[in-house]
Amino acid sequence: MKRSIFLALLASWLLSSAVLSAATHLGPFQRLVVLEEGRKKPLDTFARNLLKQFSGRASLAGMSASAWLARVFFTPEKTFDDKIFLVNQPDVLAAMGVEGEGRGRFSFSRLRPGLGRLHELAFQYANLQDSGKGRFENETLRLFYNVSAYYNLLEAFRSIQAGSAAHPDRQSASGLPAIVPLGGGPGEPWLSPAQVLAHGASLPATVQREISLLAQASRAYATGRKNDFGQALTAFNRSVQVRLGPQAVRSSKISMEIYYNHIDPFFKAELAYGLALLILLLSMALPRFRLDRLSALCLLGGSLAHTFGLIARMLIMNRPPVTNLYETFVFVAWTGVVMGLLMAWWQKTELGILAGGIAGIVFLAIAGRYSLDGDTLGMLAAVLDSNLWLTTHVVTISLGYAGCVVAGIFGHVVIIQKLLDPRSAAAAGTTRLLYAALAFGLAFTSIGTVMGGIWADQSWGRFWGWDPKENGALLIIIWCAILFHARLAGWIGQIGLAAGSIGAIIAVVMAWFGVNLLGVGLHAYGFTTGAARGLLAFVGGELLFLAVAVPLCKKNAAESGGNKAQQKS
Amino acid sequence: MTENKKRTISRLFRPLASLKLTVIALLLMAGLVIAGTVYQAANGLYAAQEKFFASWIIWLFGILPLPGLLLAATLLFLNLLAATIFRLPYHWRQGGLLLVHYGLLLLMGGGFFIALTAQEYSLTLREGESSRLALRVDEQGIQIDRRPEKVVLPVGIKLLDFEKSMHPGTGIPRSFTSRVEITTGRTKRMAVISMNRPLRYREYTFYQSSYSEDGMGGESSTFSVVSNTGRWLPYIASAMLFLGLAVHFLGMLAAALKKSRPRGSEMP
């Protein structure tokens, strides 16, 4: 009974959305449809991506991204003191002649005196080759692009609000949300309000009426008439919807996406997983209180939010769960958590919670970092779109990755158990779990790789092409096969298998994104340089762990006089 | 065959079935795949294939011979073949694993067969142009050092129209489509070749490979044409692999469930 109440509370927290109730007049504003990077999305998503790009966060001091963007659009001067520009390198501020220490968020008015210098610097760096840019140059450029984007946003509604023609400089300003479709057809351009004004008198009457609705809304917001603001935008949305027809923009998908944004399911799942791990630690310290069940419930609750997020994304985009790098992180995290839960359930072991919690929190954290680069619900290029083999092989391989990662986590546990007690009986149990996870990983990586081959054969006429991504998957398969056969041959025992499974994690991360880092500029700098460094640190750390722990384990085993044959069985 | 002869053969080949040899061959392959991939990042796919993936022997610094991937894979293949004869446990309970190993054998064997027999050509047509002549592409791409060999295909192909479409408001391509007319003997028919949707004709398959625009509204489309009689081999191997893994793991799962839940236990 207590358990179900707790679960209900947890679920309602996970699926509640604090922001949704806060500002009803913002509803129609969030629902404005923007065409960006080929996708029609709610303005709310546009706002969140923008604020994340500027500040690394999706909200500003308790204010939702949409609320912030509305202020930028309609009362621009009031946002000059908002601390929205994240500066990771204090040197950039110094070079701009602006005072400030450390990494932090700064307001437009704070940066303003240095903008001239920032512009000069960016002008110099923009033409550098990628290899010539260091952290400082990249951070300078990033700040410059963000401030420029903000500067453009300030003008987005100014001319409409004033009822004048657009400022000539601002007509072609890029990065402004294209919320007004010119015609109804699929090929017709979508324009930002300022661009529409620049377009002049040749506009259809409906578009002109929509523009005047936007002007009304804009003035209403500036003078604090929230109700009028909401009504004008509702009328605008309805007019656009009628013009486009119900097929072009699905109202239910827009609602779903806004709901998904506000719930922020992956962030909440991350918190729940963190809580699960924390309680698990407590339960190990205080075994009397049976806290392990509470910990399992937290993991389960987090996985509900996680599942909701995955399904919502599939419904919004009408596509399978894994189609880009971001989604592989989310999906592998999810698979890890589900595997952990199943193990906790079937095998009655808190090790499942440990492995699931770690896999969930680590990969969701990576996904969160990655999402700062822009919209994670991007459109797909021709080669990647709508092919059964392609989509299934990516999902299958991701399952395989998760299996290997979970096995590797158990590998750490086995080594630690062996360090604490060379004759540990628990280690044998952990090894069984490791074995199962590794077998799962090998099976799904193999199937996924073969399916990838089938896709390549169907699309390119060759089953195998020695592409780095293929090689990475092959390496995982070979490595897992080595572990199983070496164990059968008696070349490695429990410790060897544990160490080998940690090697499997290294193989997985190499195949997964190490391969991407080998190539040139696949993604924006923000992720890649940080990721390359993080990857090296991770691999270095694991190798160090192995180099120290494995000899210690062997020494312990030898000292305790453990029978070697028994060790290996 | 006499008992004696059988024993001799067995003595000769049994070591080939050794598990330790499996591990050694796999370790070799792992090292070569890593080395080849890193080498490829710096020197390109062609060089990496020549040096690592399609080579028998790699001469390190020109003097030290190391096994190439072809040698390692052959070793693994022979090891697997010997294992299926001498070592694998022939018992119905191990049916899944047996199927997996036979699938692998077929996958590798098929790979060797295709590498020896498949041919790849490249064919570029402007809109309105028709041709039977294709350029021979060898395994590593069109050869640069000598004039590409021209081959007459048994099918004539005419490009009627090429179309590409973009996601609205972006430079991200949504699809590439070529409408073609194929002529065989006295018959003609229209066909569509697009990304992920090749045209198959007997042992030939036509893939949309790339396109170009001449800036004056004219477009041309490039197809890769593959003739591969062993095309179905990896499919059968994959099916065996898949089935084998499924049988093996469902069996394992069933056993684990039977063991771990002696009485009705509840979710923690």
Side-chain angles (χ1 to χ4, degrees), chain A residues 262-535:
Chain A
H262 285 184
I263 285 182
D264 207 354
F266 301 139
F267 180 64
K268 283 192 179 143
E270 209 179 321
L271 289 183
Y273 299 155
L275 194 63
L277 288 177
L278 216 65
I279 296 175
L280 189 67
L281 277 183
L282 264 179
S283 88
M284 284 172 179
L286 310 163
R288 252 181 335 128
F289 292 93
R290 304 291 335 241
L291 285 170
D292 52 331
R293 299 198 158 196
L294 192 64
S295 161
L297 278 180
C298 281
L299 194 69
L300 181 66
S303 76
L304 290 181
H306 203 150
T307 310
F308 167 81
L310 276 174
I311 294 176
R313 292 176 66 92
M314 290 166 71
L315 291 177
I316 292 166
M317 297 300 285
N318 266 338
R319 65 188 191 196
V322 191
T323 55
N324 58 31
L325 194 55
Y326 171 81
E327 286 169 337
T328 60
F329 298 133
V330 173
F331 188 73
V332 169
W334 182 82
T335 312
V337 171
V338 171
M339 282 179 74
L341 278 172
L342 288 178
M343 283 177 174
W345 185 18
W346 282 337
Q347 304 289 324
K348 298 270 163 299
T349 166
E350 61 274 30
L351 286 176
I353 302 168
L354 182 75
I358 290 176
I361 202 167
V362 167
F363 290 113
L364 279 186
I366 295 175
R369 270 290 285 126
Y370 187 76
S371 74
L372 297 182
D373 268 6
D375 194 358
T376 59
L377 286 159
M379 299 307 274
L380 298 172
V383 55
L384 299 177
D385 208 0
S386 67
N387 183 292
L388 177 76
W389 290 110
L390 170 70
T391 49
T392 45
H393 102 263
V394 178
V395 172
T396 317
I397 287 232
S398 300
L399 289 171
Y401 286 173
C404 292
V405 166
V406 169
I409 295 173
F410 288 137
H412 289 89
V413 176
V414 170
I415 287 182
I416 291 167
Q417 283 170 330
K418 283 275 179 186
L419 273 180
L420 296 177
D421 172 14
R423 291 164 160 229
S424 160
T430 316
T431 303
R432 267 196 298 280
L433 292 176
L434 185 162
Y435 208 79
L438 198 65
F440 179 91
L442 173 60
F444 279 92
T445 312
S446 309
I447 293 173
T449 305
V450 166
M451 286 164 114
I454 292 178
W455 169 59
D457 182 63
Q458 304 252 322
S459 302
W460 314 111
R462 52 167 68 122
F463 197 84
W464 193 262
W466 299 111
D467 173 85
K469 205 82 192 172
E470 295 173 341
N471 295 352
L474 180 63
L475 186 65
I476 297 174
I477 296 174
I478 293 178
W479 185 251
C480 293
I482 288 173
L483 293 181
F484 283 117
H485 290 92
R487 185 144 164 78
L488 263 181
W491 273 2
I492 56 173
Q494 269 179 24
I495 298 169
L497 188 66
S501 68
I502 294 175
I505 298 195
I506 295 177
V508 164
V509 295
M510 281 301 175
W512 193 353
F513 34 95
V515 162
N516 291 5
L517 298 177
L518 257 187
V520 274
L522 198 73
H523 288 96
Y525 119 92
F527 182 73
T528 350
T529 45
R533 223 173 295 131
L535 192 67

